[in-house]
Amino acid sequence: MKNTIGNSLTVTLFGESHGKAIGAVLDGMPSGIKVDEEYIASQLTRRRPKDALSTPRQEKDEFSILSGVFEGRTTGTPICITIPNADTHSSDYGEMQYKMRPSHADYTANCRYNGFQDYRGGGHFSGRITAALVAAGALVLPALNKKGICINTNILSVAGETAEEKRNEKILAAKSEGDSVGGVLETLITGVPAGVGEPWFDTVEGMLSHAIFSIPAVKGIEFGLGFNFADKKGSEANDQMYADGDSVKCYTNNNGGVMGGITNGMPIVFRTVIKPTPTISKEQKTVDISTMQNTTISARGRHDPCIVHRASVVVESVTALVIADMLSAKYGTDWLAK
Amino acid sequence: MKNTIGNSLTVTLFGESHGKAIGAVLDGMPSGIKVDEEYIASQLTRRRPKDALSTPRQEKDEFSILSGVFEGRTTGTPICITIPNADTHSSDYGEMQYKMRPSHADYTANCRYNGFQDYRGGGHFSGRITAALVAAGALVLPALNKKGICINTNILSVAGETAEEKRNEKILAAKSEGDSVGGVLETLITGVPAGVGEPWFDTVEGMLSHAIFSIPAVKGIEFGLGFNFADKKGSEANDQMYADGDSVKCYTNNNGGVMGGITNGMPIVFRTVIKPTPTISKEQKTVDISTMQNTTISARGRHDPCIVHRASVVVESVTALVIADMLSAKYGTDWLAK
Amino acid sequence: MKNTIGNSLTVTLFGESHGKAIGAVLDGMPSGIKVDEEYIASQLTRRRPKDALSTPRQEKDEFSILSGVFEGRTTGTPICITIPNADTHSSDYGEMQYKMRPSHADYTANCRYNGFQDYRGGGHFSGRITAALVAAGALVLPALNKKGICINTNILSVAGETAEEKRNEKILAAKSEGDSVGGVLETLITGVPAGVGEPWFDTVEGMLSHAIFSIPAVKGIEFGLGFNFADKKGSEANDQMYADGDSVKCYTNNNGGVMGGITNGMPIVFRTVIKPTPTISKEQKTVDISTMQNTTISARGRHDPCIVHRASVVVESVTALVIADMLSAKYGTDWLAK
Amino acid sequence: MKNTIGNSLTVTLFGESHGKAIGAVLDGMPSGIKVDEEYIASQLTRRRPKDALSTPRQEKDEFSILSGVFEGRTTGTPICITIPNADTHSSDYGEMQYKMRPSHADYTANCRYNGFQDYRGGGHFSGRITAALVAAGALVLPALNKKGICINTNILSVAGETAEEKRNEKILAAKSEGDSVGGVLETLITGVPAGVGEPWFDTVEGMLSHAIFSIPAVKGIEFGLGFNFADKKGSEANDQMYADGDSVKCYTNNNGGVMGGITNGMPIVFRTVIKPTPTISKEQKTVDISTMQNTTISARGRHDPCIVHRASVVVESVTALVIADMLSAKYGTDWLAK
């Protein structure tokens, strides 16, 4: 499968940046769950570019639920949400049909789709498609919250800076130079009971990373201490345990809530690195694939100098979809509505 | 699904550390591929503990191919390989039935399987199960090589040390203290053509990480610059391109051969972090879950002070299975035999 | 999974009879295939009720392709087709919210979705949803034809009658009585090469039947002689073979082109039985589930006295999707565009 | 996927008729279920040929559980069962390497596997592989029974005869002529609650038929009235309903317990047709594919004049696996053990 993920609860993505609409089909939601359109809108707003830190492209993200919701509640059948594309400046992209933006998907899309891809605005590879993931996640998050499961993604750093003010300075500086910066996000999931996940393949880490890596610009993921485990001794790194009434807890959470691929009841913690936005206006060397000549490119179009802050709600949404899928598989398809 | 991975080429794992046998079913291999039992044996040898750096447990790993191979070639039907367990010292584990080893899967297995798991030697969570992955990978690797695809996993560091001599000193020092160390592996895949992978969900990064995270002790994965992207500007991090005859190449490979989830023809590069082996003989705080009393544990049994070097062939094998699966899906089920 | 089928080429259905729109996402189509909107429209017309033999409900089926098509060709990314619902008489269905139509999905939908289903016009169970299957099939059928694969579904009988005139008489007679009739369809697939299918589970018969049974009112499927095998001897039923140049052919085709789950190069032949439309205006005993009282029902709303002729294009479409999926898995994802 | 079926509870088959062993991996069984090896043996005995009605090949079917069972109960991890092949007369099959048995999988296997298949005794296509399905089913059936779900498959007819004595006469007569006969089986499933199944694709009928068609020689399946619906009117065929306390029942069960793809609480009823065993000793026309010359074949080897009675336990076993899978998906992975 390609643009579908999940076993018990599945999401199918579709759409291109400058096509009629983007959207998602969320299948496997149990019936009877309240659908809060204002919450969906507010999540989409969190993802939307705002102020000087982002692209000037302004989409209203006026989503439409085509199916699967009746009288304000899920029916249990597939929920198709579409978000029309409105504020498209396709003419900005004429040059880019053949001039491949370095580190963007332009060239790989061309290889994968033999030149037939909709190249305008990144097409199906555009970060814009993540709006559909956010909308799908917004159907699931309130139901998870009612189950006591909370998901939060915070910015750890941007361009090496951890303090918000400094981070924003870095973003604005990069913007003024026609450049871009990346950063690191940390996600915390609380309320997932111990015993969720599989020992092989469908580990918690494997399921989350499979989905998270489809968020554009993510290039790494680590759980708990992650790469910092490399320099630690077992005696330093192991999460020693104690009894807390009927349950077992850890003094530390170096494993980020997952051992042997399975949750241990501690908060699940992972970090994702977001690379600097590849589309920059600084001149770069590239190839015109229509002539196979070397050339340079200075990206036009409206672009983000940094997407770390916009990506946080996307990571939360994708995380919600994966966690809800794993729990629905374990506890049954109706569990989320109970 | 649980213990199966892959779409076109699938692997199903089974077995417990101290049960009759462990094994794997590899399904989707095309017919007519030569099966080199000596190569399989040599790969299993690479994984086996040897010398002072590893556990004294010595399994001969005398595998048996039960099906799917006829007259030295694959038949195209499922290949079941079993590896009997011989050198088991189950009595070493009596204490561990209820005393949970910190950072090991003991406690999560107990939560997941409600106390019915085979706790001896880590049961289904044992690193021993990776021998079956190595055997399955050894069926695939020579066929990939014939296609010009090579996979190599090297040790980048152990306990913070990069030079082999220093690394081994660190391991022996940890061993003498009843402690353990971790490290980082780097995998390089060459020969995969551009255009492999999907933009959403079944990205190269997502597919590989899904599988790689089931290797015990892996807690993080990063592609190309990985977490080092966080401090870079787009102009520094982007892989600028040039025409090389009919193909497009990059001056740098900061994206590790993958852009937009799809290969760009450059070598695929990723790193995995291996945490220090959780089972150590140093005393640690834990819980006896039969009484829910706090207690301490000093692991007996035969354990590895470091598994980084043993894990490298496992990472290669899993990588081979994932890459072969993706290529078989793209080019058809018989491609690997052509 | 629920509303998705296929491995290499997948279809996801969504929509309710009286909701905003129904639709399908077709994923896995290779890039570069011409999209013929007139052909799609003509296939939808074949499915649409016309004349006295069908329901008076007249939907224009003005479909919209939201994604995956650019400049008249497939891009290789998911194709979302939506068909808005226009001619809905929801008030016809008020009584039916609680009065379960015998043999319809009303009661089972209520059990499955706990009363939250969109009951209007059969909701997600409505035969109307098959319009989306027809649209998806219409994207695939011309590509299969170019590969020399043809799919035809013909009416074998309606209400026991084989001749068209008699069949139509039977339909009109049933209509005038407020009753309905069923029938049998036969599907012939030519041009599929020998060697397609799997010995276990993903047999040609298993893959086709899995999909075909989701067409409303299908209650049986048989391949080749089907149930007539029961009275035959092996010597009568076996398909004896002869050499025809480089290929092997059969004197008879009692196995309907499939042996051991795999195609033998002869035409694939199967028959499906379509039960009489359950919704009839004749009075029937049923239950009002809001009161759990016995009651009677005489269906209002606009219904088909027979759907056999409308179902034929649906069977063809679903068959096309399954065959294209199996061939795409075998020959690679780009095969259909080559 | 190929030799794996199921979503929540999966079965993977492997093995060839004359290889080392056949077997199955059953994954997704919850932990804590008692494993009754005597029951498994008794189910295998039901499948085994006995007396004059069957092949003289006598396999003891001494199965071995390699994994997933500890101290007499399931551990929750994959259960690998192997059954060694002992009584093989491979020399009987020398002629058959190139002479294709009409209506058998010999020719399609050769097309599918390019001549590399293990042709001895039908290889991976042999009915012998169904022993592994029976063993897997025998792990599931007692657990279903404890949940009040019973599955019975009875012989409806053999060679057109319904009475046992007549049926056996027909089989013996066919045997003496070197011929074979087929028949019809009927399966009844009681105890499945209303509301199981999906409206599209993963219908009860679709899921069962997908799996059932992999049983060798099955060529048709019908639910409830099945093909007899074709001549009925809606008013005759519809299952009218009445209230029975809190539940809704039907006066008739023409739909075989499934409406709209979903169970209605009535017994699930389906029939499968088993074609006459293709391997017969009567002379038949065929092709020698090594020379592409026309020739004749009179099968040697030990064959069944009829497999209808042996197939009944296979149908029951496969049905159990499908039903348990669907219920595990709906009610959660641990449901079967609760």
Side-chain angles (χ1 to χ4, degrees):
Chain A
M1 266 199 305
K2 296 163 183 71
N3 295 276
T4 299
I5 203 162
N7 297 302
S8 185
L9 180 72
T10 64
V11 189
T12 301
L13 280 185
F14 59 86
E16 281 80 39
S17 182
H18 291 224
K20 282 190 192 165
I22 64 163
V25 181
L26 180 65
D27 192 14
M29 282 290 277
S31 61
I33 290 181
K34 271 199 183 166
V35 173
D36 180 346
E37 301 211 2
E38 283 185 30
Y39 177 72
I40 299 171
S42 73
Q43 289 288 91
L44 288 169
T45 298
R46 284 181 61 198
R47 198 203 71 91
R48 249 204 313 276
K50 33 185 184 300
D51 66 49
L53 300 179
S54 306
T55 170
R57 178 173 175 178
Q58 288 295 344
E59 287 284 3
K60 279 199 284 185
D61 293 340
E62 291 190 335
F63 64 91
S64 180
I65 298 178
L66 299 187
S67 64
V69 177
F70 180 55
E71 297 178 344
R73 288 179 184 269
T74 56
T75 58
T77 57
I79 303 169
C80 181
I81 305 187
T82 56
I83 307 175
N85 292 317
D87 182 24
T88 55
H89 288 199
S90 298
S91 59
D92 286 349
Y93 292 92
E95 182 191 21
M96 291 186 197
Q97 177 172 6
Y98 300 117
K99 278 195 189 178
M100 305 287 94
R101 285 171 292 173
S103 287
H104 205 285
D106 293 348
Y107 175 63
T108 57
N110 194 72
C111 296
R112 172 72 180 77
Y113 298 117
N114 308 307
F116 293 104
Q117 69 279 9
D118 180 350
Y119 57 84
R120 300 169 301 165
H124 187 56
F125 292 77
S126 170
R128 173 148 179 74
I129 314 303
T130 61
L133 281 170
V134 170
L139 288 162
V140 167
L141 275 162
L144 285 176
N145 291 346
K146 283 184 77 171
K147 293 285 184 184
I149 296 168
C150 292
I151 300 170
N152 277 291
T153 299
N154 295 304
I155 301 174
L156 276 196
S157 70
V158 168
E161 296 292 348
T162 55
E164 185 171 2
E165 204 178 330
K166 293 257 188 181
R167 290 177 344 219
N168 291 350
E169 281 172 20
K170 288 278 190 178
I171 296 171
L172 293 171
K175 187 183 180 185
S176 70
E177 297 164 16
D179 212 330
S180 64
V181 290
V184 178
L185 294 169
E186 183 170 79
T187 302
L188 189 76
I189 315 168
T190 55
V192 177
V196 177
E198 302 293 336
W200 297 99
F201 308 133
D202 288 359
T203 61
V204 170
E205 295 107 324
M207 295 290 276
L208 280 167
S209 62
H210 190 156
I212 293 288
F213 269 118
S214 50
I215 302 172
V218 171
K219 294 298 285 188
I221 189 167
E222 58 179 12
F223 289 79
L225 287 184
F227 280 88
N228 289 322
F229 270 117
D231 306 341
K232 292 274 189 301
K233 292 190 180 172
S235 58
E236 298 165 327
N238 283 352
D239 291 315
Q240 300 188 43
M241 294 186 275
Y242 64 97
D244 182 22
D246 282 348
S247 69
V248 171
K249 293 207 172 136
C250 298
Y251 289 101
T252 50
N253 190 20
N254 295 331
N255 283 281
V258 187
M259 290 172 182
I262 296 174
T263 54
N264 67 358
M266 300 290 289
I268 302 171
V269 184
F270 66 90
R271 279 174 299 284
T272 47
V273 58
I274 309 287
K275 73 177 183 183
T277 332
T279 311
I280 58 178
S281 50
K282 275 203 167 170
E283 188 179 280
Q284 298 176 95
K285 291 177 187 162
T286 189
V287 177
D288 181 320
I289 58 164
S290 65
T291 60
M292 284 306 285
Q293 296 297 308
N294 290 325
T295 181
T296 59
I297 190 168
S298 302
R300 286 192 298 159
R302 297 159 297 172
H303 307 292
D304 292 275
C306 179
I307 56 165
V308 177
H309 46 300
R310 294 182 66 192
S312 67
V313 65
V314 182
V315 172
E316 280 179 21
S317 302
V318 171
T319 301
L321 293 164
V322 172
I323 294 293
D325 177 41
M326 294 186 81
L327 292 169
S328 298
K330 183 175 178 68
Y331 298 120
T333 46
D334 286 356
W335 168 80
L336 204 57
K338 275 175 194 165
Chain B
M1 266 202 301
K2 297 167 184 70
N3 294 277
T4 299
I5 201 160
N7 297 302
S8 186
L9 180 71
T10 62
V11 190
T12 300
L13 280 185
F14 59 85
E16 280 80 38
S17 182
H18 290 223
K20 283 191 194 167
I22 63 163
V25 181
L26 179 66
D27 192 13
M29 281 291 276
S31 61
I33 291 182
K34 272 199 183 164
V35 172
D36 181 345
E37 301 212 4
E38 282 184 30
Y39 177 72
I40 300 171
S42 72
Q43 288 288 91
L44 288 169
T45 298
R46 283 180 62 198
R47 198 204 69 91
R48 246 203 317 275
K50 34 184 183 304
D51 66 51
L53 299 178
S54 306
T55 170
R57 177 173 176 179
Q58 287 297 344
E59 287 284 4
K60 279 198 285 185
D61 292 342
E62 290 192 334
F63 64 92
S64 180
I65 299 178
L66 299 187
S67 64
V69 177
F70 180 52
E71 298 178 344
R73 287 179 184 272
T74 57
T75 57
T77 56
I79 302 170
C80 180
I81 305 187
T82 55
I83 306 175
N85 292 316
D87 181 24
T88 54
H89 289 198
S90 298
S91 58
D92 285 349
Y93 292 91
E95 181 191 21
M96 291 186 197
Q97 177 171 7
Y98 300 116
K99 277 196 188 177
M100 306 285 96
R101 285 172 292 173
S103 286
H104 205 286
D106 294 346
Y107 175 63
T108 57
N110 193 72
C111 296
R112 173 73 180 75
Y113 299 117
N114 307 307
F116 293 104
Q117 70 279 9
D118 181 350
Y119 56 85
R120 300 169 302 164
H124 187 57
F125 292 77
S126 170
R128 172 147 179 75
I129 314 303
T130 61
L133 281 170
V134 170
L139 289 162
V140 168
L141 274 162
L144 285 176
N145 290 348
K146 283 184 77 170
K147 294 285 186 185
I149 295 167
C150 293
I151 299 170
N152 278 290
T153 299
N154 295 302
I155 301 174
L156 276 196
S157 71
V158 168
E161 295 292 347
T162 56
E164 185 171 0
E165 203 179 331
K166 294 257 189 182
R167 291 179 341 222
N168 291 351
E169 281 172 21
K170 287 279 191 176
I171 296 172
L172 293 172
K175 188 182 178 186
S176 69
E177 297 164 17
D179 211 331
S180 65
V181 290
V184 177
L185 293 169
E186 182 170 78
T187 301
L188 188 77
I189 315 169
T190 55
V192 178
V196 177
E198 302 294 334
W200 297 98
F201 307 133
D202 288 359
T203 62
V204 171
E205 296 106 325
M207 295 291 275
L208 280 167
S209 62
H210 189 156
I212 294 288
F213 270 119
S214 50
I215 302 173
V218 170
K219 295 299 286 187
I221 189 166
E222 59 179 11
F223 289 79
L225 286 185
F227 280 88
N228 289 322
F229 271 119
D231 305 343
K232 293 273 187 301
K233 291 189 180 174
S235 57
E236 299 164 324
N238 283 353
D239 292 314
Q240 300 190 41
M241 294 185 276
Y242 64 97
D244 182 22
D246 280 351
S247 69
V248 171
K249 294 210 171 133
C250 297
Y251 290 101
T252 50
N253 191 20
N254 294 332
N255 283 281
V258 188
M259 289 171 180
I262 295 174
T263 55
N264 64 359
M266 300 291 288
I268 302 170
V269 184
F270 66 89
R271 279 174 299 285
T272 46
V273 59
I274 310 288
K275 73 177 183 184
T277 332
T279 311
I280 57 177
S281 49
K282 275 201 168 172
E283 188 179 282
Q284 297 176 95
K285 290 176 188 164
T286 189
V287 177
D288 180 320
I289 57 164
S290 65
T291 59
M292 287 304 286
Q293 296 297 309
N294 289 327
T295 180
T296 60
I297 189 167
S298 303
R300 286 192 297 158
R302 295 160 298 171
H303 306 292
D304 291 275
C306 178
I307 56 166
V308 177
H309 46 299
R310 296 182 66 191
S312 68
V313 66
V314 182
V315 171
E316 280 180 21
S317 303
V318 171
T319 300
L321 293 164
V322 172
I323 294 294
D325 177 41
M326 295 186 81
L327 292 168
S328 298
K330 183 174 177 68
Y331 297 120
T333 46
D334 286 355
W335 169 80
L336 203 57
K338 276 178 193 161
Chain C
M1 266 199 305
K2 296 165 184 70
N3 295 277
T4 299
I5 202 162
N7 296 303
S8 185
L9 180 71
T10 63
V11 190
T12 300
L13 280 185
F14 59 85
E16 281 79 38
S17 182
H18 290 223
K20 280 189 192 166
I22 64 164
V25 181
L26 180 66
D27 191 14
M29 280 292 276
S31 61
I33 291 182
K34 271 198 184 167
V35 173
D36 182 344
E37 300 212 3
E38 283 185 30
Y39 177 72
I40 300 172
S42 73
Q43 289 288 90
L44 288 170
T45 299
R46 283 181 63 198
R47 199 204 69 90
R48 244 197 324 270
K50 38 183 183 301
D51 67 50
L53 300 179
S54 304
T55 170
R57 179 173 174 177
Q58 288 297 344
E59 287 283 4
K60 278 199 285 185
D61 292 340
E62 291 190 335
F63 65 92
S64 180
I65 299 178
L66 298 187
S67 64
V69 177
F70 180 54
E71 297 179 343
R73 289 181 184 269
T74 56
T75 58
T77 57
I79 304 169
C80 180
I81 305 186
T82 56
I83 308 175
N85 293 316
D87 181 24
T88 54
H89 288 199
S90 298
S91 59
D92 286 349
Y93 292 91
E95 182 192 20
M96 291 185 198
Q97 177 171 6
Y98 300 117
K99 278 195 188 177
M100 305 287 96
R101 285 171 291 173
S103 288
H104 206 286
D106 294 347
Y107 175 63
T108 57
N110 194 73
C111 296
R112 172 73 180 77
Y113 299 116
N114 307 307
F116 293 104
Q117 71 278 9
D118 180 351
Y119 57 84
R120 300 167 302 164
H124 188 56
F125 292 78
S126 170
R128 173 150 179 72
I129 314 303
T130 60
L133 282 170
V134 170
L139 289 162
V140 168
L141 275 162
L144 286 176
N145 291 347
K146 284 185 78 170
K147 294 283 185 186
I149 296 167
C150 294
I151 300 170
N152 277 291
T153 300
N154 296 303
I155 301 173
L156 277 197
S157 71
V158 168
E161 296 293 347
T162 55
E164 184 170 4
E165 203 178 332
K166 292 261 189 179
R167 289 177 344 218
N168 291 351
E169 280 172 22
K170 287 279 190 176
I171 296 171
L172 294 173
K175 186 182 181 185
S176 70
E177 296 163 18
D179 212 331
S180 64
V181 290
V184 178
L185 294 169
E186 183 170 77
T187 301
L188 189 76
I189 315 168
T190 55
V192 177
V196 178
E198 302 294 335
W200 296 99
F201 307 134
D202 287 359
T203 62
V204 171
E205 297 107 325
M207 295 290 276
L208 281 167
S209 62
H210 191 156
I212 294 287
F213 269 118
S214 51
I215 302 172
V218 170
K219 294 298 284 188
I221 188 166
E222 58 180 10
F223 290 79
L225 286 186
F227 280 89
N228 289 323
F229 269 119
D231 307 342
K232 292 275 190 299
K233 292 188 177 173
S235 57
E236 298 164 325
N238 283 353
D239 291 315
Q240 300 190 41
M241 294 186 275
Y242 64 97
D244 182 22
D246 281 350
S247 69
V248 171
K249 295 210 170 132
C250 299
Y251 290 101
T252 50
N253 191 20
N254 294 331
N255 283 281
V258 188
M259 289 171 182
I262 295 173
T263 54
N264 64 359
M266 301 290 289
I268 302 170
V269 185
F270 66 87
R271 280 174 298 285
T272 47
V273 59
I274 310 287
K275 73 178 183 181
T277 332
T279 311
I280 57 178
S281 50
K282 275 202 167 171
E283 188 178 283
Q284 298 176 95
K285 291 175 186 164
T286 189
V287 177
D288 181 320
I289 58 163
S290 65
T291 59
M292 285 305 286
Q293 295 298 307
N294 290 326
T295 179
T296 60
I297 189 168
S298 301
R300 286 192 298 158
R302 297 158 298 171
H303 306 291
D304 291 276
C306 178
I307 56 164
V308 177
H309 47 298
R310 295 182 66 191
S312 68
V313 66
V314 183
V315 171
E316 279 178 22
S317 303
V318 171
T319 300
L321 293 164
V322 172
I323 294 294
D325 176 41
M326 294 186 81
L327 292 168
S328 299
K330 183 175 179 65
Y331 298 120
T333 46
D334 285 356
W335 168 81
L336 203 58
K338 278 177 191 161
Chain D
M1 265 199 304
K2 294 163 185 72
N3 295 277
T4 299
I5 202 161
N7 297 303
S8 185
L9 180 71
T10 63
V11 189
T12 301
L13 279 185
F14 59 86
E16 281 78 40
S17 182
H18 291 221
K20 282 191 195 166
I22 63 163
V25 180
L26 180 65
D27 192 14
M29 281 290 277
S31 61
I33 291 183
K34 272 199 182 166
V35 173
D36 181 345
E37 299 211 5
E38 283 184 30
Y39 178 72
I40 299 172
S42 72
Q43 288 288 91
L44 287 170
T45 298
R46 283 181 62 197
R47 199 204 70 92
R48 248 204 312 278
K50 36 183 182 302
D51 67 51
L53 299 179
S54 305
T55 171
R57 178 173 176 179
Q58 288 296 345
E59 287 283 4
K60 279 199 284 185
D61 291 342
E62 290 190 336
F63 64 91
S64 180
I65 299 178
L66 299 187
S67 64
V69 177
F70 181 53
E71 298 179 342
R73 288 179 185 272
T74 56
T75 57
T77 57
I79 303 169
C80 181
I81 305 187
T82 56
I83 308 175
N85 291 317
D87 181 24
T88 55
H89 289 199
S90 297
S91 59
D92 287 349
Y93 291 92
E95 182 192 20
M96 290 185 198
Q97 177 171 7
Y98 299 116
K99 278 196 188 178
M100 307 284 96
R101 285 171 291 172
S103 286
H104 206 285
D106 294 347
Y107 175 63
T108 57
N110 194 72
C111 297
R112 173 73 181 75
Y113 299 116
N114 308 307
F116 292 103
Q117 70 279 8
D118 180 350
Y119 56 85
R120 300 168 302 164
H124 188 55
F125 292 77
S126 170
R128 172 147 179 75
I129 315 304
T130 60
L133 282 170
V134 170
L139 288 163
V140 168
L141 274 163
L144 286 176
N145 290 347
K146 283 184 77 170
K147 293 286 186 184
I149 295 168
C150 293
I151 299 170
N152 278 291
T153 299
N154 296 303
I155 301 173
L156 275 195
S157 71
V158 168
E161 296 293 348
T162 54
E164 185 171 1
E165 202 178 332
K166 293 258 189 183
R167 292 180 340 221
N168 291 350
E169 281 172 21
K170 287 278 191 178
I171 295 172
L172 294 172
K175 187 183 180 184
S176 70
E177 296 164 17
D179 212 330
S180 65
V181 290
V184 178
L185 293 169
E186 183 170 80
T187 301
L188 189 78
I189 315 168
T190 55
V192 177
V196 177
E198 302 294 335
W200 297 99
F201 308 133
D202 288 358
T203 62
V204 171
E205 296 107 325
M207 294 291 274
L208 280 168
S209 62
H210 190 155
I212 293 286
F213 269 119
S214 50
I215 302 173
V218 170
K219 294 299 285 188
I221 190 167
E222 59 179 12
F223 289 79
L225 286 185
F227 280 88
N228 291 322
F229 270 119
D231 306 341
K232 292 274 188 300
K233 291 189 179 174
S235 58
E236 298 164 328
N238 283 352
D239 291 314
Q240 300 189 44
M241 293 185 276
Y242 64 96
D244 182 22
D246 281 349
S247 70
V248 171
K249 293 208 171 133
C250 298
Y251 290 102
T252 50
N253 190 20
N254 294 330
N255 283 281
V258 188
M259 290 172 181
I262 295 174
T263 55
N264 65 359
M266 300 290 290
I268 302 170
V269 184
F270 67 89
R271 277 173 300 285
T272 47
V273 59
I274 310 287
K275 73 176 181 183
T277 331
T279 310
I280 57 177
S281 50
K282 276 201 168 172
E283 188 179 281
Q284 297 177 94
K285 290 176 187 164
T286 190
V287 177
D288 181 320
I289 57 163
S290 64
T291 60
M292 284 307 284
Q293 297 297 308
N294 289 326
T295 181
T296 59
I297 190 167
S298 301
R300 286 192 297 158
R302 295 158 298 172
H303 306 293
D304 291 276
C306 179
I307 55 164
V308 177
H309 46 299
R310 295 182 66 190
S312 67
V313 65
V314 182
V315 171
E316 279 179 22
S317 302
V318 172
T319 301
L321 293 163
V322 172
I323 293 294
D325 177 41
M326 297 186 80
L327 292 169
S328 298
K330 184 175 177 69
Y331 298 120
T333 46
D334 286 355
W335 168 80
L336 203 57
K338 277 176 192 161

